[in-house]
Amino acid sequence: MDGQPSFPVRASDGERDRVLRVLGDRVAEGRMSHETFERRVDQVLRARSRAELDDIVHDLPPAGRVVGRLTGLVATVSQVTARLEAAWRAPRLPRFTLPADGARIVVGRAPGCQFLLTDLTVSRFHAELYRAEEGWMVTDLGSMNGTRVNGWRLTGPARVRAGDEIGFGEAAFIVAAS
């Protein structure tokens, strides 16, 4: 005996994962067709020994450093592009400009409100903005759909500053100082 086992060594999950990564890298590099990739993945899943796994990738060229770096660069650029596209598609909210004189503002659908909204998710008398010692404050007036500041639904008076997102029902605005 030369120290080699006479029976085939069973393939581990880690070895299968390694072979699948090699196949995925070669397909990403354009060195293998999609049909060949699918056929070989099926072979990896049916392989019973390390030798069978080795036979699946023995004819593939080794990974090149240049191709690996180029693939990594393309992946990074793709991630940045996807983030930029998502930010560009984000809705642009209208501005809610706070008056300089510090007047009280009632928000709602009723004709007597200082800030009139026609959105049906806004109550007739929805919220009130007023100037206090610590700055502009907003309080919900018992509306059904609530008032939010920066995504948080109000349970009591809250301070609002320029740049905050304020929502009345489904209507949302960016607070701006005059």
Side-chain angles (χ1 to χ4, degrees):
M1 293 218 146
D2 59 339
Q4 296 281 337
S6 60
F7 55 89
V9 177
R10 181 160 167 73
S12 70
D13 289 339
E15 291 167 332
R16 287 180 204 279
D17 290 343
R18 177 189 57 81
V19 171
L20 288 171
R21 272 192 306 274
V22 168
L23 292 174
D25 290 345
R26 294 310 168 275
V27 120
E29 294 169 357
R31 296 180 178 219
M32 180 186 311
S33 72
H34 192 67
E35 293 81 23
T36 303
F37 173 74
E38 288 177 352
R39 185 173 38 82
R40 289 192 184 198
V41 166
D42 188 48
Q43 289 173 347
V44 168
L45 297 176
R46 282 190 271 126
R48 294 184 178 189
S49 67
R50 288 182 192 169
E52 289 178 24
L53 288 175
D54 290 340
D55 285 343
I56 294 169
V57 294
H58 82 280
D59 62 332
L60 298 176
R65 279 191 250 159
V66 174
V67 173
R69 287 183 182 167
L70 184 61
T71 305
L73 178 65
V74 168
T76 303
V77 169
S78 295
Q79 289 172 352
V80 170
T81 304
R83 287 181 185 164
L84 286 173
E85 286 177 0
W88 186 257
R89 282 191 214 124
R92 306 292 188 261
L93 298 177
R95 293 189 180 276
F96 183 94
T97 305
L98 299 171
D101 63 1
R104 178 177 156 242
I105 304 168
V106 176
V107 178
R109 288 185 298 136
C113 294
Q114 287 77 25
F115 190 71
L116 192 62
L117 293 172
T118 58
D119 190 323
L120 294 177
T121 62
V122 176
S123 297
R124 287 180 299 149
F125 295 98
H126 195 98
E128 178 183 16
L129 285 103
Y130 58 92
R131 187 129 175 111
E133 291 178 10
E134 54 271 358
W136 280 97
M137 303 292 287
V138 62
T139 187
D140 189 78
L141 298 176
S143 67
M144 289 294 291
N145 294 312
T147 302
R148 296 171 320 282
V149 175
N150 296 326
W152 293 90
R153 188 168 178 159
L154 296 183
T155 57
R159 184 165 183 210
V160 291
R161 299 178 182 96
D164 285 347
E165 181 180 324
I166 189 167
F168 312 103
E170 295 294 320
F173 303 89
I174 295 292
V175 176
S178 59

